[in-house]
Amino acid sequence: MFGIGYLQRLGRAMMLPMTVLPAAAVFLMLSRLPWDAVGLASAPSLLHAAGMAIFAYVPYVFAIGIALGLSNQSVHAGMASLVGMIIFGAVTQAFDPGGVQPSMFAGVVIGMLSGWAGERFKSFQLPESLQFFGGTRFVPIFMSGFSFAFAWLMIGIGQGLLVWIGATGGLVNSAGGFGIFLYGFLHRILVAFGLHHLLNHLFWFQIGDYTAPDGNVYFGDMPRFFAGDPTAGVYMTGLYPVIMFALPAIAYAIIHEAREDLKPKTAKQFRVAALTAFVTGVTEPVEFAFLFVAPYLFIVHALLSGGIMWLTYELGIREGFTFSAGALEYIINFRLSERGWMIIPIGLAVGALYYVLFRWSIRRFQLSTPGREDSTRLDDWGGDIPYRAPLVLQALGGKDNIARIEACITRLRLTLNDDRRVDAKSLRHLGAAGVIRLGGGHVQVVFGTYSDLIRGEIVKLMQLDVHQVQFHAPLQGRMIPLEEVDDPIFAQKLVGKGVAFIPDKGELVAPVRGKIIHLYPTKHAIGIETPEGLEVLLHIGINTSQMNGEGFTALVGEGDEVMPGQPLIRFHLPTLRAHAKSLATPMVITNSDIVRSWRFAPFKAVKKGQAAVMSVVVRERENRGAKL
């Protein structure tokens, strides 16, 4: 239950309640404005009460958010977690109003159990006379009993647990700057695995306590900061220079080291990524641009991040946030900060250091960062998500391979039946910044802030009874639109619709599963019929029929059954360059009238046999499925 896959789901579930917290920061910021000047003397106290109420009830928010996240958004699990927290609070308060409080620990435990119960009991059966209370309706009943027992348990061990939490906070705090450095280092390392939310939860909501003047007790760096604890903020402050300045500096280093022909496209993408990091604090689009091509550089980045957090701690700077360390939060929370102005000069120095370091590293070690290696470029997903979703689904191994699909802010989080079926090259070809295999079928794919929209489109596709015929790249080279082929018959789609490729190597492989129905005597072209009835023509070069088979070697014959990636024809590339009008190799469907819809991957470099370069839906197959 508590393997790496469960931990990544829990980390994602914790992000849902985190989205509520910025509202608290806004209310507290507004409460500090001079409302007396406009005759609204009561506004500050009302706004402050609204902001602090969110922190007071944050255990309830986390319980509900975690339950929803772990139960595939089951309202029964969410309701059960709310009922559980109400019972927990009522029982503990009845025993001792000044004793155990509804804490983040209680919220997380009840949220996790509610999520588990939502999945475990959704098909629970009782005798027929009682079945009304079976299934998902049993979840709140189960959690009511569990929450009562849990509250009773906490009454007995609560004081000891509070002492342990206080001791843990004291131990961490006793480490001083080194403890801050260690947190900063681990935070950046865990970003790569999507598990940093678990670390954040411990330090931001558990370690350390503060009793406010009104008697309320707040735990964790974040609630303590907004409650007015002058010692709080140490686990948040140092993230501001890293996120607001270091990450944008990396983005501009990548832009300035890109090839001249790719620099405009790279600049467009990474200026947006830099602005996103600076303003909102979302960093993965930049970090994953170099994580996979230079993992050792990511370790250096993590060490520097820890060092920067240590520096801000030693300088006595205190600043907080409710979501992430972006410019919006910096401005909103500035009036609560201690020496917060120092973040700007430190950030500028950090940005300059990162810019010089990354430009030097990219050039010195010839790193294949976006814009230097076409196949690793991030792509622009805006307005193109529904179009490419079928291709992403194929690269993940098809809908039968997906046991669970979720998304957090910047990545798809998947549980797959067989993670070996994932085509990482195809996913990067389609715009992914990286693919992370965690083992046991658990995979993360970083698509940036469009990840949740991609997940939604994939879920729609998985629910439809529509068969997608997926095409692999028939050779290694560059994929181009059919209109760019130097032959009017193919360019005007008189033979059929499809795409074309400029080969880098002399081997043609099967793009689909099917049967060889025609092999030209000159071996320059071959036809395949798929089980869906599609007739696919592969034509190597233009005017190559006049070569009379010179330079071509057939590896299959008519009537042979072939699978995607199986070699079909080898050809001598220098001979083609010498005699062919063009190297362009069309892949067209000659009976394209039976195709209902088309999807094409980006027109750029592909590897031989690479999945998800083209996808079509056949009318007859779709209609047949609709009648079933």
Side-chain angles (χ1 to χ4, degrees), residues 532-548:
E532 297 80 11
L534 294 171
E535 296 177 1
V536 182
L537 172 66
L538 296 161
H539 194 286
I540 304 171
I542 301 300
N543 289 350
T544 46
S545 60
Q546 300 175 10
M547 295 172 60
N548 296 318

Side-chain angles (χ1 to χ4, degrees), residues 9 108 115 140 150 177 203 573 606:
R9 288 175 55 207
V108 171
F150 181 52
F203 284 89
L573 203 54
V606 296

Side-chain angles (χ1 to χ4, degrees), residues 560-582:
D560 288 352
E561 297 286 340
V562 295
M563 298 297 293
Q566 181 176 336
L568 302 177
I569 298 173
R570 290 199 179 97
F571 53 93
H572 192 240
L573 203 54
T575 302
L576 256 69
R577 287 195 177 100
H579 297 93
K581 178 181 178 182
S582 168

Side-chain angles (χ1 to χ4, degrees), residues 215-529:
N216 288 324
V217 180
Y218 297 90
F219 294 94
D221 206 40
M222 187 182 294
R224 289 192 294 114
F225 176 82
F226 287 98
D229 185 352
T231 66
V234 295
Y235 296 107
M236 297 181 285
T237 305
L239 292 174
Y240 275 104
V242 175
I243 291 175
M244 287 176 55
F245 295 93
L247 272 299
I250 295 173
Y252 276 92
I254 290 172
I255 291 171
H256 295 155
E257 288 298 322
R259 292 188 345 227
E260 288 302 319
D261 58 322
L262 296 177
K263 190 168 288 186
K265 179 72 171 179
T266 306
K268 175 184 176 183
Q269 295 160 351
F270 278 87
R271 282 172 184 158
V272 172
L275 184 63
T276 300
F278 179 78
V279 175
T280 69
V282 176
T283 64
E284 280 91 338
V286 177
E287 289 180 305
F288 279 84
F290 68 92
L291 169 60
F292 294 100
V293 298
Y296 59 86
L297 197 55
F298 193 86
I299 294 175
V300 173
H301 165 53
L303 289 169
L304 286 173
S305 297
I308 293 164
M309 293 199 69
W310 191 343
L311 175 64
T312 58
Y313 169 78
E314 295 294 347
L315 292 175
I317 308 170
R318 303 290 183 268
E319 173 69 292
F321 52 78
T322 55
F323 176 70
S324 189
L328 287 177
E329 291 264 20
Y330 177 75
I331 295 169
I332 290 173
N333 303 314
F334 182 77
R335 293 186 64 180
L336 280 178
S337 69
E338 188 75 27
R339 309 180 76 182
W341 63 270
M342 294 184 66
I343 288 175
I344 300 301
I346 292 173
L348 292 172
V350 166
L353 171 64
Y354 266 76
Y355 179 79
V356 172
L357 173 64
F358 272 75
R359 283 206 70 174
W360 177 83
S361 299
I362 292 170
R363 188 176 301 177
R364 173 66 176 80
F365 300 108
Q366 292 298 301
L367 302 180
S368 298
T369 49
R372 293 173 62 84
E373 180 68 34
D374 188 65
S375 62
T376 62
R377 287 185 295 125
L378 289 174
D379 205 22
D380 186 3
W381 275 86
D384 203 18
I385 294 168
Y387 188 78
R388 293 195 201 169
L391 301 172
V392 174
L393 181 57
Q394 183 204 3
L396 293 171
K399 67 178 183 180
D400 294 336
N401 195 37
I402 297 179
R404 180 186 293 270
I405 179 169
E406 298 171 326
C408 62
I409 295 174
T410 57
R411 66 189 84 191
L412 296 180
R413 296 172 180 260
L414 302 130
T415 302
L416 304 177
N417 296 319
D418 184 0
D419 57 11
R420 292 173 298 181
R421 292 167 59 183
V422 173
D423 191 328
K425 291 181 179 178
S426 295
L427 290 168
R428 286 192 286 268
H429 181 72
L430 290 164
V435 179
I436 306 167
R437 301 175 189 265
L438 299 172
H442 302 292
V443 175
Q444 297 178 2
V445 186
V446 182
F447 277 119
T449 52
Y450 290 113
S451 295
D452 193 53
L453 296 177
I454 298 167
R455 181 203 62 82
E457 292 297 326
I458 290 176
V459 170
K460 290 178 186 177
L461 288 168
M462 292 172 63
Q463 294 171 344
L464 293 175
D465 186 20
V466 177
H467 180 69
Q468 302 276 342
V469 182
Q470 308 286 358
F471 286 75
H472 297 242
L475 45 76
Q476 178 171 313
R478 183 166 56 90
M479 180 172 156
I480 63 173
L482 201 60
E483 293 84 353
E484 294 183 11
V485 175
D486 188 15
D487 182 89
I489 296 177
F490 283 109
Q492 295 175 24
K493 303 178 182 177
L494 300 178
V495 177
K497 296 181 181 179
V499 295
F501 302 84
I502 306 296
D504 289 340
K505 292 187 177 180
E507 184 174 58
L508 184 78
V509 301
V512 288
R513 180 170 68 93
K515 179 180 179 181
I516 304 298
I517 57 173
H518 193 64
L519 177 63
Y520 284 71
T522 53
K523 302 180 182 63
H524 73 287
I526 193 168
I528 304 174
E529 184 178 20

Side-chain angles (χ1 to χ4, degrees), residues 69-272:
L70 293 178
S71 63
N72 200 24
Q73 308 302 314
S74 169
V75 294
H76 297 87
M79 181 64 71
S81 66
L82 176 59
V83 171
M85 285 300 296
I86 292 173
I87 292 173
F88 180 89
V91 172
T92 53
Q93 288 295 298
F95 180 82
D96 181 4
V100 177
Q101 303 291 322
S103 64
M104 284 297 302
F105 174 75
V108 171
V109 170
I110 290 176
M112 290 172 61
L113 262 294
S114 298
W116 172 84
E119 293 289 288
R120 173 64 179 82
F121 296 119
K122 60 185 177 183
S123 302
F124 183 61
Q125 292 186 357
L126 291 171
E128 185 175 353
S129 58
L130 299 175
Q131 185 54 37
F132 175 81
F133 300 104
T136 54
R137 296 187 185 92
F138 184 73
V139 178
I141 299 173
F142 170 82
M143 285 306 301
S144 297
F146 170 82
S147 298
F148 179 81
F150 181 52
W152 200 334
L153 174 66
M154 290 300 295
I155 289 171
I157 68 171
Q159 189 58 43
L161 190 62
L162 288 175
V163 172
W164 177 80
I165 292 174
T168 303
L171 180 64
V172 174
N173 290 332
S174 67
F178 180 75
I180 308 298
F181 163 81
L182 192 60
Y183 165 79
F185 171 74
L186 292 176
H187 181 274
R188 300 279 23 116
I189 291 294
L190 290 176
V191 164
F193 302 97
L195 301 177
H196 54 298
H197 306 307
L198 303 179
L199 181 73
N200 292 342
H201 177 81
L202 176 64
F203 284 89
W204 292 354
F205 298 104
Q206 297 285 356
I207 291 180
D209 62 273
Y210 171 69
T211 302
D214 59 6
N216 288 324
V217 180
Y218 297 90
F219 294 94
D221 206 40
M222 187 182 294
R224 289 192 294 114
F225 176 82
F226 287 98
D229 185 352
T231 66
V234 295
Y235 296 107
M236 297 181 285
T237 305
L239 292 174
Y240 275 104
V242 175
I243 291 175
M244 287 176 55
F245 295 93
L247 272 299
I250 295 173
Y252 276 92
I254 290 172
I255 291 171
H256 295 155
E257 288 298 322
R259 292 188 345 227
E260 288 302 319
D261 58 322
L262 296 177
K263 190 168 288 186
K265 179 72 171 179
T266 306
K268 175 184 176 183
Q269 295 160 351
F270 278 87
R271 282 172 184 158
V272 172

